[in-house]
Amino acid sequence: MTREMPVALAARDIWKSYGTLEVLKGVSLEAHEGDVISVLGASGSGKSTLLRCINMLEVPDRGEVTVDGEPIRLRLHRGRREPADRRQVDRIRAKLGMVFQGFNLWSHLTVLGNVIEGPVHVQRRPRGECIAEAEALLEKVGIAAKRHHYPAHLSGGQQQRAAIARALAMNPKAILFDEPTSALDPELVGEVLRVMRALAEEGRTMLVVTHEIGFARHVSNRLLFMHRGEVAAAGTPEELFGGVAPEQFRQFIAGYHQR
Amino acid sequence: MIDAGFLLGTMRQLLAAVPTTLALFALSVSIGAVIAGLLAWARVGGHPLLDRFARGYIFVFRGSPLLIQMFLIYYGLSQFPAVRHSPAWLVLREPFNCAVISLALCTGGYAAEIFRGGLQAVPHTAIEAARASGMSGLLLFRRIIAPLAARAALPAYSTELVLMVKSTALASLVTVWEVTGVAQRIITHTYRTMEVFLCAAAIYLVLNVALVRLLMLLEWRLSPDLRAPRPLPAA
């Protein structure tokens, strides 16, 4: 259904290794606008590294990342690949929201301060406008009452929802979620997943590295299953859960259900 | 036994020297902070030569007595005719300037390590989140790194500042008439060591109480997140 939409981001043939450890071995993916892609896989399969290669928090050894039609230019410097143009990377990062496993809110700023930081200082938009938008976003993720609190005074679930609001405030082309519920107490996972489901339903482009099989199956429209640094299976949830998936994927899911 | 008139007169003379003490403190701490900032940057910047230079600087100025550093700058440098005939002599011939320079060089070495600690205490997750939102360079430093580093460094830096108030007393030994210098001058005329030095000590105590109060206020302002949540403003 989103096939005809323009491509929001694409990664082509991404390779990444740390020393002799090959983490990514030629991974490609393409997210059209409105796609919600869940990336599944065991720990160490390279899911998070793939996500971090997309906004250049890790620089891939080989391969190309294109965001909103613009390829990120890389160059070789003293034998290492690095972004050729820091400003381009900054600009592209501002177009990609990121939600981290550990929330990574700025502890010296209030919730509202965290949300308006990027719009005011990176996008240089008028402060009043940013505050009004931020308050609407905080309302949407259900923590408007906490807007003048500091992150340390919030529960994990509230912090993660604040972090989602912070990513949304940049009005991003796509949002990268790096295991957004993995650091949460079980009873707090639901509130974050509900917010993410609401975002999916309003047509946001999302790339979600997750261990939440339910979310992957019922909210995302495409799945990517990674195994040892490669895409072992890709397709719609119906295809993969309908039985045409490779053995590794079935074992992975069976492992979850046995818990 | 207690000679109120003498104490009052002594106090009045010592208080007249307080501006000199404060000027020594303010100038040397300001210059020292710039030196410390540059050294800390050199220490964490990742450039091996700069790092080595900064380590050497800190080793020398933190490892040797401040009094000897001051003597070397005031008495030592003037031995060299080249120094006396250089434009630097306009600065170095004044004992006050020499005291400021040596105090600044010394506190620069101490504060550099304090600042480095502050910088390294900034969680890399906070920096990563900033980078992911498109911040880099000066903006990243100004908005995220500096505030977090300042909060981490302030308790240790406060102690350094208190030490610096007291270190200005050494300037008396290179003939600067600050509080301790004036106290010694009074003693050589009156031989009333106890009363005069007690008056001087009281002045340093009051200065430090004020300084510590100020720094506590600053620390309180800089760490709102460590306090209980503030009640919401009336809607």
Side-chain angles (χ1 to χ4, degrees):
Chain A
M1 121 201 166
T2 54
R3 292 300 84 185
E4 314 82 43
M5 298 294 282
V7 175
L9 69 88
R12 219 189 57 232
D13 196 27
I14 301 292
W15 291 72
K16 177 76 186 175
S17 56
Y18 301 98
T20 56
L21 179 69
E22 289 203 308
V23 181
L24 295 175
K25 296 182 263 189
V27 177
S28 299
L29 73 85
E30 202 172 73
H32 294 256
E33 282 178 20
D35 269 351
V36 177
I37 302 179
S38 287
V39 183
L40 299 172
S43 298
S45 61
K47 314 179 294 288
S48 290
T49 306
L50 171 64
L51 207 65
R52 295 166 59 82
C53 279
I54 288 171
N55 64 358
M56 295 293 146
L57 287 179
E58 304 287 344
V59 180
D61 301 330
R62 269 160 65 191
E64 187 177 66
V65 174
T66 305
V67 175
D68 201 15
E70 185 182 352
I72 300 177
R73 291 191 303 281
L74 298 173
R75 65 169 183 189
L76 210 58
H77 181 68
R78 292 181 185 163
R80 288 172 53 124
R81 287 238 290 175
E82 61 168 37
D85 178 2
R86 282 261 134 231
R87 295 226 168 117
Q88 187 203 23
V89 171
D90 286 346
R91 198 176 66 241
I92 283 176
R93 282 173 174 165
K95 288 192 206 177
L96 292 173
M98 185 151 189
V99 175
F100 298 87
Q101 180 175 355
F103 330 130
N104 298 14
L105 292 172
W106 297 304
S107 62
H108 62 300
L109 299 174
T110 62
V111 167
L112 185 66
N114 268 276
V115 177
I116 64 170
E117 183 67 19
V120 171
H121 295 282
V122 177
Q123 295 176 332
R124 296 170 166 275
R125 292 165 48 208
R127 193 181 183 84
E129 185 186 308
C130 297
I131 290 177
E133 269 186 41
E135 291 191 330
L137 285 171
L138 290 171
E139 192 74 53
K140 187 157 125 182
V141 300
I143 49 169
K146 302 276 183 190
R147 65 187 182 280
H148 295 303
H149 287 230
Y150 286 86
H153 299 138
L154 268 57
S155 73
Q158 290 167 337
Q159 288 191 52
Q160 193 59 298
R161 286 183 283 150
I164 292 173
R166 173 174 72 176
L168 289 171
M170 301 290 278
N171 199 12
K173 267 307 227 195
I175 308 176
L176 313 175
F177 292 85
D178 187 7
E179 303 203 23
T181 57
S182 299
L184 294 175
D185 291 338
E187 74 270 21
L188 302 176
V189 169
E191 62 191 57
V192 171
L193 288 180
R194 271 193 296 281
V195 167
M196 290 171 61
R197 180 191 274 266
L199 296 180
E201 282 164 2
E202 67 184 42
R204 302 267 181 184
T205 311
M206 297 160 65
L207 192 57
V208 187
V209 168
T210 186
H211 289 289
E212 293 293 330
I213 305 293
F215 179 90
R217 183 169 187 172
H218 300 294
V219 181
S220 47
N221 65 332
R222 285 176 59 215
L223 297 180
L224 213 64
F225 172 66
M226 292 189 58
H227 184 69
R228 294 187 180 162
E230 290 173 304
V231 177
T236 65
E238 293 75 30
E239 285 165 358
L240 289 190
F241 285 96
V244 292
E247 182 57 27
Q248 287 146 347
F249 181 71
R250 279 194 301 232
Q251 275 177 11
F252 176 74
I253 297 299
Y256 263 93
H257 288 154
Q258 276 164 18
R259 280 194 312 188
Chain B
M1 179 72 204
I2 293 171
D3 182 346
F6 175 73
L7 286 181
L8 215 65
T10 301
M11 230 7 168
R12 197 172 294 137
Q13 288 182 69
L14 292 180
L15 285 173
V18 165
T20 309
T21 290
L22 287 179
L24 282 170
F25 171 75
L27 281 170
S28 59
V29 160
S30 308
I31 300 168
V34 174
I35 295 172
L38 293 172
L39 288 171
W41 184 40
R43 286 285 277 116
V44 301
H47 193 293
L49 267 179
L50 288 176
D51 182 36
R52 192 152 335 148
F53 169 79
R55 279 170 190 268
Y57 180 102
I58 292 163
F59 169 70
V60 168
F61 283 94
R62 208 171 52 162
S64 63
L66 170 56
L67 184 58
I68 290 180
Q69 294 167 22
M70 207 178 272
F71 281 167
L72 284 173
I73 288 174
Y74 182 61
Y75 296 113
L77 288 181
S78 61
Q79 278 186 2
F80 301 100
V83 173
R84 286 200 305 276
H85 296 120
S86 76
W89 187 242
L90 289 175
V91 175
L92 291 174
R93 69 181 177 191
E94 294 295 335
F96 178 84
N97 294 343
C98 289
V100 166
I101 290 169
S102 55
L103 285 166
L105 290 173
C106 182
T107 186
Y110 279 93
E113 286 296 270
I114 294 172
F115 290 1
R116 179 178 67 90
L119 287 173
Q120 289 178 336
V122 176
H124 84 270
T125 52
I127 296 174
E128 194 159 74
R131 288 198 188 285
S133 350
M135 290 191 205
S136 63
L138 209 59
L139 179 67
L140 171 62
F141 181 79
R142 183 169 63 81
R143 294 294 310 169
I144 307 295
I145 296 175
L148 289 170
R151 291 141 39 99
L154 195 56
Y157 191 53
S158 299
T159 302
E160 170 61 14
L161 291 180
V162 168
L163 286 172
M164 282 300 289
V165 168
K166 299 187 291 181
S167 299
T168 58
L170 293 178
S172 62
L173 297 169
V174 291
T175 72
V176 178
W177 297 113
E178 43 63 73
V179 173
T180 305
V182 171
Q184 274 175 325
R185 188 172 57 189
I186 298 170
I187 291 164
T188 53
H189 294 313
T190 61
Y191 298 103
R192 296 168 81 160
T193 312
M194 197 63 156
E195 290 106 311
V196 177
F197 272 151
L198 279 177
C199 285
I203 288 176
Y204 285 106
L205 272 174
V206 169
L207 290 181
N208 270 331
V209 164
L211 178 66
V212 166
R213 284 270 148 180
L214 221 64
L215 289 165
M216 274 168 58
L217 184 69
L218 183 64
E219 198 174 326
W220 190 80
R221 294 274 310 253
L222 280 178
S223 34
D225 52 307
L226 301 180
R227 306 197 290 268
R230 154 177 85 159
L232 279 180

